[in-house]
Amino acid sequence: MCKLAVLITSYNRSELFKKTLKSWLDRKEVDTLIIKADSSKREEYEGYKEALEEIKGKSVIYEISDKRSGTTTAKNRVLEMALQNDCRFMICADDDHYIPTESDVKGTLRILLHGSIGVVGGKVINLGNRAVDPDFFLNLPIADSLSKALGYIFLDVKNGPRLAEFVPAFFMIKGEAVKNVRYDEFYDSTNGFREESDFQQGVKKAGYKLVFNPYFYVYHIPIEEGGNRGVSLSRRIFGKSKANTYFSFKWYSKPKAIWYVLVSSIILILYSPNNALEVMKGIKDGLKEYQSRLTR
């Protein structure tokens, strides 16, 4: 049985993976690493294999593939490997996350010991401006209230520790809280938008609460290539609209879902007016997918 495992998925970024992996190896609190690495190039496959075979001092469970699994499929795989190995707590991180020594892992573990807490989210600090698909944060105390009222994700990444409506994509989870919670593979078709909030909704449905801890943080290395990059802005806007529509109707009553889709559409159109048609197409496809899943 492992006490604390780090779950990482990676695709075609073996060199970056090698750099960030070291920061997790240096954490004394972490006793297990669980890795799912996919590649479409031989040199990437060999790079992952070399990095993982050289690790000493920790339990390492990994799978390396010469084809892409998809983001949610890969995340479900590392989650399942963790549960199969009776991991009590798990950190979900990306391959471009570097954790500094000051990050409060111990304090986050103490929060998760509380029976009603299932997820503790951490802060992601960008080391540079991202040219592709930047993150949006509203660093005000009303962020959680806005998320409830508008249905879109607003994040207050300064105040806490506190109960939160949603937390960022970097978080620690309690094994018992996610025994029956998995990532919805629908979100692979939307470049991953809302896949984390969908997962977090599953944790809440299972009876657990979310906490945000600003002292638990990672640095995000702003690489603009490899992984799942290379998608145009129009396709990203379409994906966000599709994902938010599906998410809203999946988790909320019909009147509330309609309101949330309307608000999200306005937000996306204001952000990218030239892609208003893509927003409308996204709504149509999101509804179609939601309805088709109801009949399965």
Side-chain angles (χ1 to χ4, degrees), residues 119-137:
V119 171
V120 180
K123 182 164 58 176
V124 178
I125 301 174
N126 290 322
L127 294 182
N129 293 326
R130 293 171 59 183
V132 180
D133 197 27
D135 290 319
F136 296 94
F137 298 107

Side-chain angles (χ1 to χ4, degrees), residues 131-195:
V132 180
D133 197 27
D135 290 319
F136 296 94
F137 298 107
L138 181 63
N139 293 315
L140 295 172
I142 61 170
D144 293 320
S145 297
L146 284 176
S147 292
K148 290 181 180 179
L150 303 180
Y152 213 68
I153 303 174
F154 295 92
L155 297 175
D156 170 5
V157 295
K158 289 185 177 179
N159 299 290
R162 70 180 202 284
L163 292 174
E165 186 70 10
F166 296 107
V167 298
F170 165 64
F171 53 86
M172 190 184 295
I173 56 177
K174 183 184 296 179
E176 67 183 50
V178 292
K179 286 182 178 179
N180 299 309
V181 180
R182 295 295 182 272
Y183 288 89
D184 189 330
E185 294 183 7
F186 159 79
Y187 295 99
D188 270 341
S189 67
T190 66
N191 306 308
F193 183 67
R194 298 223 75 158
E195 69 180 14

Side-chain angles (χ1 to χ4, degrees), residues 246-282:
Y246 173 82
F247 174 87
S248 298
F249 280 90
K250 175 181 177 179
W251 290 106
Y252 302 113
S253 65
K254 189 173 181 179
K256 187 176 287 188
I258 292 172
W259 165 249
Y260 287 167
V261 170
L262 176 63
V263 171
S264 69
S265 301
I266 293 172
I267 292 173
L268 289 173
I269 290 173
L270 288 175
Y271 173 68
S272 183
N274 292 337
N275 287 298
L277 183 59
E278 296 301 318
V279 174
M280 298 301 107
K281 289 180 180 177

Side-chain angles (χ1 to χ4, degrees), residues 6 8 14-27 33-35 48 50-55 58 60 94-95 97-99:
V6 177
I8 301 175
S14 58
E15 288 302 316
L16 175 66
F17 172 76
K18 292 175 186 177
K19 296 176 182 178
T20 58
L21 183 62
K22 185 181 184 303
S23 68
W24 298 108
L25 292 172
D26 291 341
R27 296 302 307 218
L33 298 173
I34 300 180
I35 313 293
Y48 285 124
E50 177 185 351
L52 290 167
E53 288 182 348
E54 288 181 353
I55 293 175
K58 291 184 186 293
V60 184
D94 291 338
D95 61 357
H97 287 167
Y98 184 97
I99 187 165

